[in-house]
Amino acid sequence: MDLLLLSNSSSDAGYLVHAHDAITELAAGRKTACFVPFAGVTRDWDTYETLVSDALSPIGIAVRSLHHAGDADAARRLIGTAELIVVGGGNTFRLLQCLRERGLLAPIAACVRKGGARYIGWSAGANLACPTICTTNDMPVANPGGLDALGLVPFQINPHYFNVVVPGFRGETRDQRLAEFTTLHPETPVLGLPEGNWVRVRDEHLDLGGPHTSRWFLDTDVLDVQPGPLPLPR
Amino acid sequence: MDLLLLSNSSSDAGYLVHAHDAITELAAGRKTACFVPFAGVTRDWDTYETLVSDALSPIGIAVRSLHHAGDADAARRLIGTAELIVVGGGNTFRLLQCLRERGLLAPIAACVRKGGARYIGWSAGANLACPTICTTNDMPVANPGGLDALGLVPFQINPHYFNVVVPGFRGETRDQRLAEFTTLHPETPVLGLPEGNWVRVRDEHLDLGGPHTSRWFLDTDVLDVQPGPLPLPR
C-alpha cells in the first residue's frame, strides 16, 4: 500500500510544484491518474480537472477525472483499473458525501489496500485517507452521511496545521479544536501537518516530508517531529 | 417567540459582560435559567455551569444545568418548565450529538416556539437555533447524527465572523467557506456575526445588536448591514 498525503496543493512556485518530486517518487513510472474532483464546490469539476492535469503533465502524468464516468458502475470500473488515484482538496464534507452517495468509498479503499492503485491526496484528500474526517478544518456545508472515511491509515491528519491566534478572535484556536478531538477520542493520534509538508506511507512505514516540524496530538500531550521516519506514537 | 443569538461569550470586560443589557432585556424579569452545557468538551459541565452561573447572577438570573437531570425524561421536564433556555458555546457537533441522543431537540424547539421559554445562545448555541449547523466554524469531533438543528429562525448564522487572511495559510478563508455554503444552498441566507454582535428575534422581527457591521451572504452576493432593524434579505 502506497500513499502520499499532502497538507496542501498551492505553493509560491505554483500549483503542486512543491510536491513534484514526492509525486514522481510515488508514481514510480505510472503515467495515468484517476482524479477525484468532488471536494470542489465553488470550483467546477471540469475546471478542477484542467488545473490538476496542467500541474501533473510536466512530470509525465495524464489525468482523467472521475466525474466523466456516466454512472456509479462506470466510476467503479475506472477506480478498479486505475494506476494512481488522486484526490483533490476543497470541502471534505462534500467530497465524502459525493463518494458515499456513489458507493465509491469501499472500491477506492480496496483498490489501494491491494496495491492496484497508489493514492495521492491533499487537504480534503488527505483527510479522506484517515479513519474519519473528524479533524478537517472545513465547514460542514454538505451532509456526508457519517464521518467515517477510507481508514487507510490508523491516525488522523489535520492539514494546513498552524496555531496562529488571530487578534480579536474569541473562538477556539486550532490547538484547542484538536484537544477537543483527543478528549473525545484519546486512542487516535492526530498529525498536525503544516503547509508544505506531507506523509509518505509504505504499508506500515511512515515518512514525514517537507520543510517543517510537524506535531502529533495525543491523548493529553503533544509531540513535535522532524522530517524523516515517522513512527506512530506509543 | 423570543431569542437572543450572540456571536460570542467572552469579552475584555469579562464573560458575557458585553451582553448583560441584552440578556436583561430578553429575560424581562425571569429569574431562572435552564443551562445547556453540552457544547463543552475540554471544559467539564460542572465547571461550565459555574462559569455561566457566575456570569448571570449579577443580573439576577439563577442557573441550573441540564446535565444534572437524572435521565432524558427528567431533562424534558426541566425544559418544559424553563423560563429561559441558555445554550452555551463550545463544539457545535458535540452539542447537537448530546441533544439528539437524549431526544431533546424537539422539546426545546416546541417550548421556545410556544413562548414558554425564551432562548439565549452564543456561538454553538446560536448555530443550534438555525435550520442546520452547516455554518459552524467548529471541528467535527463528534458525529451529530445529521446536521439539522432547531430551525427556530429561517436563516443561518456564522458566529465569530471575520475574513482575516492568515499569512502563509493556504486553506479556505471564511468568506470562501461561506461561499461554498451558498453555492450548495442558494435559498438560505447566512448572517456573518462579528465578535460582540448579536441578533434579537421577536417572532418574525429581527434586530441586529452590538457595535459592528454584520454581513449577509446570499446566493451570489453579500450585503453589509448596520445595527438596528434587520429585515431578512429578499
Side-chain angles (χ1 to χ4, degrees):
Chain A
M1 189 172 66
D2 286 272
L3 297 88
L4 181 65
L5 305 176
L6 299 135
S7 178
N8 60 296
S9 53
S10 65
S11 68
D12 290 339
Y15 196 79
L16 288 174
V17 170
H18 70 292
H20 270 177
D21 290 351
I23 294 172
T24 299
E25 183 278 321
L26 186 283
R30 290 163 182 78
K31 300 289 185 200
T32 62
C34 172
F35 176 58
V36 179
F38 300 138
V41 177
T42 51
R43 176 187 282 156
D44 77 73
W45 296 341
D46 284 340
T47 304
Y48 203 179
E49 178 184 33
T50 301
L51 179 70
V52 173
S53 181
D54 290 350
L56 297 187
S57 70
I59 53 173
I61 297 172
V63 166
R64 176 79 176 160
S65 177
L66 196 54
H67 76 278
H68 296 304
D71 57 23
D73 282 343
R76 279 191 284 272
R77 282 195 299 275
L78 281 178
I79 289 164
T81 57
E83 295 186 301
L84 297 168
I85 294 174
V86 176
V87 185
N91 187 282
T92 313
F93 294 87
R94 179 67 168 156
L95 170 65
L96 189 58
Q97 180 191 52
C98 289
L99 288 172
R100 201 185 305 278
E101 282 176 356
R102 290 163 174 76
L104 299 179
L105 290 167
I108 291 175
C111 192
V112 176
R113 283 192 184 282
K114 280 187 279 188
R118 296 186 166 195
Y119 183 101
I120 301 170
W122 55 89
S123 193
N127 283 127
L128 188 76
C130 299
T132 69
I133 65 162
C134 288
T135 53
T136 177
N137 305 305
D138 294 339
M139 193 170 274
V141 299
N143 189 342
L147 300 174
D148 54 301
L150 294 175
L152 296 170
V153 295
F155 60 93
Q156 293 288 129
I157 288 174
N158 179 244
H160 309 286
Y161 172 69
F162 67 74
N163 194 36
V164 172
V165 178
V166 175
F169 177 61
R170 295 183 180 280
E172 288 78 8
T173 65
R174 186 74 64 88
D175 280 14
Q176 287 171 332
R177 297 185 193 285
L178 292 169
E180 290 178 346
F181 178 84
T182 56
T183 297
L184 294 178
H185 310 279
E187 72 289 356
T188 307
V190 186
L191 184 65
L193 208 52
E195 308 286 356
N197 273 30
W198 60 81
V199 181
R200 175 71 167 92
V201 181
R202 293 178 183 85
D203 296 324
E204 311 297 305
H205 183 83
L206 310 178
D207 283 285
L208 176 65
H212 304 297
T213 301
S214 292
R215 176 169 287 182
W216 284 111
F217 292 83
L218 310 171
D219 180 0
T220 57
D221 210 356
V222 298
L223 178 66
D224 286 336
V225 285
Q226 302 304 320
L230 182 74
L232 268 183
R234 284 173 299 179
Chain B
M1 190 171 66
D2 287 272
L3 298 88
L4 182 65
L5 306 176
L6 299 135
S7 178
N8 60 295
S9 53
S10 65
S11 68
D12 289 341
Y15 196 78
L16 288 174
V17 171
H18 71 292
H20 270 176
D21 290 351
I23 295 173
T24 300
E25 183 278 320
L26 186 285
R30 290 163 183 79
K31 300 289 185 201
T32 62
C34 173
F35 176 58
V36 180
F38 301 138
V41 178
T42 52
R43 176 186 283 157
D44 77 73
W45 296 340
D46 285 338
T47 304
Y48 201 178
E49 178 184 32
T50 302
L51 178 70
V52 174
S53 181
D54 290 350
L56 297 188
S57 70
I59 53 173
I61 298 172
V63 166
R64 176 80 177 161
S65 178
L66 196 56
H67 76 279
H68 297 302
D71 57 23
D73 282 343
R76 278 190 285 272
R77 283 195 299 274
L78 281 177
I79 289 164
T81 57
E83 294 186 301
L84 297 167
I85 295 174
V86 176
V87 186
N91 187 283
T92 313
F93 294 87
R94 178 66 168 157
L95 170 65
L96 189 57
Q97 179 191 53
C98 288
L99 288 173
R100 201 186 304 280
E101 281 177 355
R102 290 162 175 77
L104 300 179
L105 290 167
I108 291 175
C111 191
V112 176
R113 282 192 184 281
K114 279 186 279 187
R118 296 186 166 196
Y119 183 101
I120 301 171
W122 55 87
S123 192
N127 284 127
L128 188 75
C130 298
T132 69
I133 65 162
C134 289
T135 53
T136 178
N137 305 305
D138 295 339
M139 195 171 272
V141 299
N143 188 341
L147 300 175
D148 54 301
L150 294 176
L152 295 170
V153 294
F155 60 93
Q156 294 287 129
I157 288 175
N158 178 244
H160 309 286
Y161 172 69
F162 67 74
N163 194 35
V164 173
V165 178
V166 175
F169 177 61
R170 295 183 180 279
E172 288 79 6
T173 65
R174 186 75 64 87
D175 281 13
Q176 287 172 331
R177 297 184 192 284
L178 292 169
E180 290 178 345
F181 178 84
T182 56
T183 297
L184 294 178
H185 310 278
E187 72 290 356
T188 306
V190 186
L191 184 65
L193 208 53
E195 309 286 357
N197 273 30
W198 60 82
V199 181
R200 174 72 168 91
V201 181
R202 293 177 184 85
D203 296 325
E204 311 296 306
H205 183 84
L206 309 178
D207 282 286
L208 176 66
H212 304 297
T213 301
S214 292
R215 177 169 287 181
W216 284 112
F217 293 82
L218 310 171
D219 180 1
T220 57
D221 210 356
V222 298
L223 178 65
D224 286 335
V225 285
Q226 302 303 319
L230 183 74
L232 268 183
R234 283 174 300 180

